Amino acid sequence: MSVVLYEPGVEEAPVRSRRGLVWETIRRRPSATVGAVLLLVIALAAVLAPWIAPYGLHDQVGPVFGRPSRSHPLGLDDGGIDMVTLLMWGARISLVVGFAATAVSILIGGVVGIVSGYFGGWVDTLLMRITDYFLVIPDVPLMIVVAAIWGPSLFHIVIVIGILLWTGTARVIRAQVKSVRERVYVKRARALGAGHARIVLRHVLPQVAPLLIANTVLTVAVAVFDETALSFLGLGDPSRISLGKVIENAFQRAAISSGAWWAIVPPGALVAIVILACSLVGQALEDALNPRLRVAHLGARTFRLRPLVGRGAESV
Amino acid sequence: MTLLAVEDLVVRYPVPRGLVGTLARRPRLDVHAVDGVTLDVGSGELVALVGESGCGKTTTAQTVLRLVDPVSGTVRFQGSDITQLGPSALRPLRRRMQIVYQDPYESLDPRLRVRAAVEEPLVIHRLGSRAERAERVRDALARVELSPPELFLDRYPHELSGGQRQRVAIAAALVLEPELLVADEPVSMLDVSVRAGILQLLDSLRAGGLGILMITHDLSTAARFADRICVMYLGRIVEEGPASEVVENPQHPYTRALLSVVPSRDPRRRRRPQILRGEAPDATRIPSGCRFHPRCPIAIEICPQVDPQLERPAAARSPEHRAACVRA
Amino acid sequence: MSTLLQVEDLHVWFELPDGGELHAVQGLSLGVGTGERVGLVGESGCGKTTTALAIMGLLPPTASASGRVLLDGKDVLAGGEATIRPRRWVDVAIVFQGAMNALNPVRTVGSQIVEALELHGRARGGAARARAAQLLESVGIPAARAKRYPHELSGGMRQRAAIAMALSCNPRVLIADEPTTALDVMVQAQILELLDALCRDFGLALILVTHDLPVVAQLCDAAAVMYAGEIVERGPVDALYHDPRHPYTRLLFAATADLDGRDAPVVSIPGAPPRLDRELVGCPFSPRCDRRFDPCGTLRPALRALDDGHAAACHLNGVGG
């Protein structure tokens, strides 16, 4: 009977697997590729820091605020420690906190978003009011208060950042879940008698996953920034060096008046690059996921003209 | 054997008033989606529920499957009253009543292969071992004429044409061996050249004993494939009877008007169209008396006062042909 | 009757994401004269909407086109945006598919028509509002409704408003893409009656793009049947139904449900249309054709005139490419 499988006008394949869309986007869009490569390089450098850092983290290899030279391309900090080494070790903590806080945030935000969007009704209203409550809390003052009360430690920082960032995720995921829930195949599954767990896990989550990934990447950017801010304000874990702490140290030890820009600018720049890289990847993923942004708009006269084909003049 | 017996079904939706409306004490309006519908479907019978948008046919179908709760009336499936049953009691029933949706492009999860999509109902209801399920999936695909099944099992929906997707959706409905199938506009989103194939498939399933309730706005399709037609207007059935009867000898002015405006494919055949003015009033404000009287070409004085019931018209040729019109 | 719009040998290609090309329209020629109604009929993917957009010069950036679109003898396709722009909406207007859902939801219906008038310099201010009210009346919408928002109107009303908008600059040719597809049969009848009256009373030329054969049979004088990007048969609708000279036309009519044809055998066409991202060999319909014979697989038939205004691209009428 109908054995012919292909047909023009059948839409381009949406996506075969969860990983498909993410991978494809990173491969195809230059901004995402650049961002991903940057992140990879920085993450690798951070992870391998103990082995590939040029100098020891606590080795004083020169004078205080030593100038950049061939053996120390980014100079030395206020303790005579090589800046490149510091950056690599600092990135470790910054990224760890960034990812950990993001994990907390995505977990809370994802669950709230899914439950809220799927069940609707009073559950939705309640969860959204709670979300609103968290949304209006100013981040940095809260972090200051919490750090002041609980004391600064890596764990507290991660929790504080995580608790403040989940709201954005929750809202985005909730919107998507609400839309997926109305799709015919979900209604069909309900009509078949499928339980909520099954529908959420099998039908809703796969549709939401790419968006969740995009959101995760963007959240990492914010988390890294928040951590840097906290450390800069002296609320970070004093026993750990993060990029924010590096900046704070330099700031406290009068790097600026000493003219030692290399102690402040590089760590700041590195934070900015990490945030930029995450944003590039995250934005590209979001764009790829939003079907409306993909539609080629009917532009007046944007199409090209080709020479006449002339398959024989019309004989009618 | 009567599979499905619906009696005096009433379904209403409150129109949300919003904060301002509540504060201003605006009267609470209800959408009278279904306003007293009685119909039967027997096994091996295809009943077409016909009407324009907003007439309540889709809501009726959803209520029959208990996806929506009625305000009053009864739904009986194979004799037992299922109107008040809760979700857990309904679960085993869901196996015996299935639905096929209008949109073949949306009714299949794009991430599931055909095999998984057709198997899912069995998994949900925990039926059979893995091997048994695989066997039933292949049988279902064969029944919908997707042969050989191997060619289709591993495909994703986007690799199939509209007609093929709809067949997969039907297979997924059949795999549980239901007794009643509700088909909501099963071919309206398919190309013309493919429609007949799907309809013929439904026809052969009906011949095999399946009871089918088909929702459609297309009278031509209903006329060709249905055993009986029920014409709905604003939440009520205004005419019902054997398909050929309703189409050849319509007794209700609405049915007559509808039939007259269906364009014919033959350019020489121009019916004299009776185009009704305006559109159906919204279901929150059902007209008094006969709900059709404001648009009726033959309305008389008593029409705004009397709400006619379905009765056998004088000019009917079959005992089962009924129309709700005082002038019939 | 003069020819207002003439399309000659139109080809449209679309770039595909993976580098290939989709040849969506393959050498289409079509003409329409004053007061004439021509149907462009075909199933999904045949290229009819693409043709309509090409005529209006509204193809997306991934498209490329060749051929001629002659408005009053002047080629507006090759002439560039400068040639088509002053004539778009003024000489030829389009009611897009799903237009009734594309009205701006935050502006009143009347103001959207005023906008069209002002953009094309037809009228301003009070005069524009008066003209808008007049247009609405002419499509059967009471002028008072001009102050309503789209969501306050029914589907049929919105479609009428979309038609009014298309008529705002008094075009001589109207292209209607699936104008009644999402509408109930009664509302469809109203809209078709409206289009009929507009053509009769104002000499409007109509190109009706649709998959719905009965609508074309009732409203149009002539029609062109499209398959796989080209016209496979065209002629007066009467001839197409009573004397089809292409198997696809015959089968398409036969597959169309009809109230009067209840006892006729049910017909469906097996298979699916060919992919247009590859070069087609032979007749594009031959894999599905019930009358194919030797030349069909290798020689692509050309659209040839048969008798008065009737043409078909089929070897059954005489082998020839």
Side-chain angles (χ1 to χ4, degrees):
Chain A
M1 236 237 151
S2 337
V3 181
V4 179
L5 293 176
Y6 290 95
E7 180 189 278
V10 172
E11 261 177 57
E12 248 281 295
V15 65
R16 287 272 199 126
S17 73
R18 243 165 287 176
R19 276 174 289 287
L21 181 62
V22 177
W23 183 239
E24 277 306 302
T25 310
I26 293 181
R27 246 174 13 112
R28 292 249 184 95
R29 288 166 187 248
S31 60
T33 321
V34 166
V37 166
L38 277 174
L39 269 178
L40 197 60
V41 164
I42 296 174
L44 268 178
V47 164
L48 298 174
W51 296 275
I52 65 171
Y55 300 93
L57 187 55
H58 304 285
D59 299 346
Q60 182 169 10
V61 290
V64 166
F65 289 139
R67 302 195 123 265
S69 61
R70 217 175 305 145
S71 50
H72 302 284
L74 288 176
L76 307 173
D77 80 337
D78 60 292
I81 302 174
D82 175 48
M83 279 302 297
V84 173
T85 310
L86 262 181
L87 285 184
M88 290 172 82
W89 281 90
R92 270 168 85 89
I93 300 298
S94 293
L95 287 178
V96 161
V97 172
F99 285 124
T102 302
V104 170
S105 151
I106 294 295
L107 192 61
I108 303 178
V111 168
V112 169
I114 290 177
V115 168
S116 196
Y118 183 77
F119 288 106
W122 65 266
V123 172
D124 182 21
T125 315
L126 180 67
L127 285 172
M128 281 301 107
R129 294 294 83 79
I130 295 177
T131 309
D132 287 342
Y133 179 74
F134 273 90
L135 256 176
V136 300
I137 299 176
D139 300 5
V140 177
L142 177 69
M143 290 191 229
I144 294 177
V145 167
V146 168
I149 296 178
W150 274 354
S153 91
L154 220 50
F155 180 66
H156 292 150
I157 303 276
V158 166
I159 297 293
V160 165
I161 298 178
I163 287 182
L164 288 167
L165 287 185
W166 65 263
T167 49
T169 309
R171 283 202 160 182
V172 165
I173 298 298
R174 170 183 175 269
Q176 176 80 336
V177 168
K178 268 189 184 285
S179 136
V180 171
R181 195 165 154 271
E182 295 309 310
R183 304 243 172 107
V184 182
Y185 56 86
V186 172
K187 286 188 175 167
R188 204 178 119 245
R190 291 218 305 263
L192 278 170
H196 295 308
R198 191 194 167 80
I199 295 180
V200 168
L201 286 171
R202 262 223 118 191
H203 295 289
V204 175
L205 205 51
Q207 295 290 110
V208 161
L211 191 62
L212 203 51
I213 294 174
N215 200 270
T216 303
V217 175
L218 289 170
T219 307
V220 168
V222 181
V224 167
F225 178 78
D226 279 350
E227 190 282 328
T228 308
L230 276 180
S231 297
F232 180 73
L233 291 171
L235 299 165
D237 191 332
S239 60
R240 311 289 189 121
I241 307 279
S242 73
L243 291 172
K245 191 102 178 69
V246 172
I247 304 177
E248 194 230 356
N249 277 339
F251 195 66
Q252 298 283 19
R253 308 287 157 80
I256 298 176
S257 48
S258 312
W261 56 266
W262 53 88
I264 291 196
V265 172
L270 189 56
V271 170
I273 292 174
V274 168
I275 294 177
L276 179 68
C278 289
S279 300
L280 285 174
V281 175
Q283 294 283 12
L285 281 176
E286 272 193 346
D287 286 351
L289 285 166
N290 190 338
R292 251 163 278 174
L293 294 175
R294 262 187 287 168
V295 169
H297 291 285
L298 291 179
R301 208 22 174 282
T302 48
F303 63 95
R304 290 170 290 120
L305 213 49
R306 279 154 78 143
L308 295 177
V309 169
R311 215 159 60 97
E314 239 311 296
S315 51
V316 182
Chain B
M1 199 255 295
T2 308
L3 275 179
L4 179 73
V6 174
E7 217 176 299
D8 286 327
L9 197 64
V10 174
V11 182
R12 293 205 191 121
Y13 300 113
V15 175
R17 282 183 302 170
L19 191 60
V20 176
T22 319
L23 289 176
R25 292 186 191 284
R26 285 204 200 128
R28 181 169 257 133
L29 286 175
D30 283 328
V31 173
H32 294 252
V34 180
D35 208 19
V37 161
T38 300
L39 61 80
D40 310 321
V41 179
S43 43
E45 204 186 10
L46 198 156
V47 175
L49 198 50
V50 175
E52 300 184 290
S53 44
C55 71
K57 52 193 198 295
T58 305
T59 310
T60 304
Q62 290 180 327
T63 313
V64 157
L65 291 170
R66 297 286 289 103
L67 297 171
V68 167
D69 293 327
V71 160
S72 68
T74 50
V75 178
R76 260 180 242 280
F77 184 67
Q78 288 192 326
S80 39
D81 189 339
I82 66 169
T83 334
Q84 305 296 331
L85 294 183
S88 42
L90 280 170
R91 216 150 177 268
L93 272 173
R94 299 232 185 271
R95 282 176 48 192
R96 297 152 70 193
M97 318 189 283
Q98 286 294 310
I99 183 166
V100 173
Y101 290 96
Q102 176 177 9
D103 190 342
Y105 299 95
E106 286 281 312
S107 59
L108 298 176
D109 188 332
R111 291 168 185 270
L112 291 182
R113 293 181 205 260
V114 166
R115 180 204 309 272
V118 179
E119 201 190 9
E120 188 177 21
L122 295 171
V123 174
I124 292 175
H125 289 269
R126 291 182 249 259
L127 290 171
S129 66
R130 224 181 165 155
E132 282 166 10
R133 290 202 295 262
E135 188 59 36
R136 284 173 81 156
V137 165
R138 295 168 110 263
D139 278 345
L141 285 177
R143 268 175 98 184
V144 299
E145 290 158 13
L146 285 177
S147 264
E150 290 75 28
L151 210 55
F152 297 94
L153 283 170
D154 288 312
R155 302 265 157 209
Y156 284 99
H158 68 263
E159 292 172 302
L160 302 175
S161 69
Q164 288 163 341
R165 287 188 220 208
Q166 199 65 315
R167 286 176 194 264
V168 171
I170 296 174
L174 290 178
V175 79
L176 288 172
E177 317 258 345
E179 287 140 40
L180 176 72
L181 184 69
V182 173
D184 190 353
E185 306 270 13
V187 295
S188 65
M189 291 190 69
L190 297 175
D191 277 329
V192 164
S193 57
V194 185
R195 284 182 193 184
I198 303 289
L199 290 166
Q200 266 179 316
L201 170 63
L202 289 176
D203 197 36
S204 64
L205 291 171
R206 176 196 61 88
L210 187 65
I212 302 182
L213 178 63
M214 183 166 78
I215 314 294
T216 180
H217 64 276
D218 183 0
L219 273 165
S220 318
T221 306
R224 178 70 183 72
F225 289 97
D227 296 303
R228 284 191 295 121
I229 294 181
C230 301
V231 180
M232 277 188 81
Y233 183 80
L234 222 49
R236 281 273 182 86
I237 295 181
V238 295
E239 184 160 1
E240 63 179 4
S244 49
E245 269 294 293
V246 172
V247 168
E248 283 165 27
N249 186 22
Q251 295 297 308
H252 193 286
Y254 179 61
T255 315
R256 287 203 195 113
L258 273 186
L259 287 166
S260 74
V261 297
V262 174
S264 168
R265 61 188 175 178
D266 183 348
R268 288 183 201 161
R269 182 110 173 69
R270 295 198 181 203
R271 295 180 242 275
R272 276 188 32 244
Q274 236 189 338
I275 303 184
L276 301 174
R277 292 301 135 206
E279 298 181 33
D282 72 84
T284 56
R285 268 180 276 267
I286 309 257
S288 62
C290 170
R291 53 197 60 214
F292 184 59
H293 85 259
R295 298 171 81 200
C296 183
I298 59 169
I300 51 178
E301 269 165 28
I302 59 167
C303 293
Q305 289 144 22
V306 172
D307 188 4
Q309 301 304 306
L310 277 170
E311 279 162 3
R312 183 160 170 228
R317 297 197 285 254
S318 149
E320 291 167 16
H321 189 176
R322 290 202 284 273
C325 178
V326 296
R327 299 196 63 182
Chain C
M1 183 190 70
S2 54
T3 305
L4 290 174
L5 176 72
Q6 182 69 39
V7 178
E8 279 176 15
D9 200 31
L10 180 69
H11 286 260
V12 179
W13 296 266
F14 286 104
E15 282 165 24
L16 291 173
D18 50 10
E21 233 180 18
L22 190 83
H23 197 174
V25 180
Q26 306 191 6
L28 182 144
S29 298
L30 186 69
V32 66
T34 327
E36 224 193 332
R37 311 103 178 265
V38 173
L40 191 53
V41 186
E43 300 181 289
S44 49
C46 72
K48 52 193 196 296
T49 299
T50 307
T51 304
L53 293 175
I55 294 174
M56 297 291 294
L58 292 173
L59 293 170
T62 50
S64 47
S66 87
R68 287 140 63 100
V69 174
L70 300 167
L71 260 181
D72 291 330
K74 227 178 147 205
D75 188 356
V76 292
L77 187 68
E81 176 70 1
T83 7
I84 182 87
R85 198 176 173 151
R87 318 191 71 171
R88 196 187 281 130
W89 227 252
V90 171
D91 286 326
V92 53
I94 185 169
V95 179
F96 291 105
Q97 198 168 358
M100 59 195 187
N101 292 323
L103 295 171
N104 190 335
V106 297
R107 298 188 59 173
T108 63
V109 164
S111 74
Q112 295 187 50
I113 300 183
V114 166
E115 181 182 23
L117 289 166
E118 288 181 347
L119 272 174
H120 289 273
R122 293 270 140 163
R124 302 208 75 83
R129 281 193 294 277
R131 174 97 183 100
Q134 198 184 33
L135 276 164
L136 287 173
E137 292 275 356
S138 70
V139 297
I141 300 181
R145 300 276 181 103
K147 297 204 185 64
R148 298 239 168 262
Y149 289 90
H151 69 266
E152 294 176 291
L153 299 177
S154 64
M157 286 276 176
R158 293 202 298 271
Q159 189 67 322
R160 290 173 195 264
I163 294 174
M165 224 178 291
L167 295 176
S168 56
C169 302
N170 292 349
R172 289 173 290 149
V173 181
L174 180 68
I175 304 177
D177 194 351
E178 305 280 11
T180 57
T181 295
L183 301 172
D184 287 321
V185 68
M186 190 62 72
V187 179
Q188 171 176 283
Q190 293 170 357
I191 299 290
L192 293 177
E193 186 191 47
L194 169 66
L195 288 172
D196 185 51
L198 288 169
C199 292
R200 250 197 347 255
D201 300 340
F202 299 111
L204 188 65
L206 178 70
I207 299 180
L208 182 63
V209 177
T210 181
H211 67 278
D212 197 328
L213 271 174
V215 163
V216 168
Q218 298 295 299
L219 186 63
C220 299
D221 316 304
V225 179
M226 274 188 85
Y227 186 80
E230 59 171 10
I231 293 180
V232 294
E233 184 168 2
R234 74 139 152 267
V237 285
D238 193 275
L240 290 179
Y241 180 70
H242 289 279
D243 184 27
R245 305 292 278 270
H246 192 288
Y248 180 60
T249 312
R250 172 177 41 87
L251 289 170
L252 199 60
F253 269 108
T256 303
D258 195 79
L259 276 179
D260 305 312
R262 285 195 310 284
D263 301 316
V266 173
V267 170
S268 70
I269 312 179
R275 290 172 69 132
L276 295 179
D277 56 351
R278 331 192 146 137
E279 177 99 18
L280 293 169
V281 175
C283 172
F285 187 62
S286 61
R288 306 168 76 190
C289 186
D290 55 352
R291 303 280 307 275
R292 75 167 161 274
F293 60 116
D294 255 346
C296 300
T298 45
L299 187 61
R300 187 164 183 172
L303 190 63
R304 291 208 276 129
L306 300 170
D307 36 40
D308 197 20
H310 195 170
C314 179
H315 294 308
L316 289 169
N317 300 308
V319 179

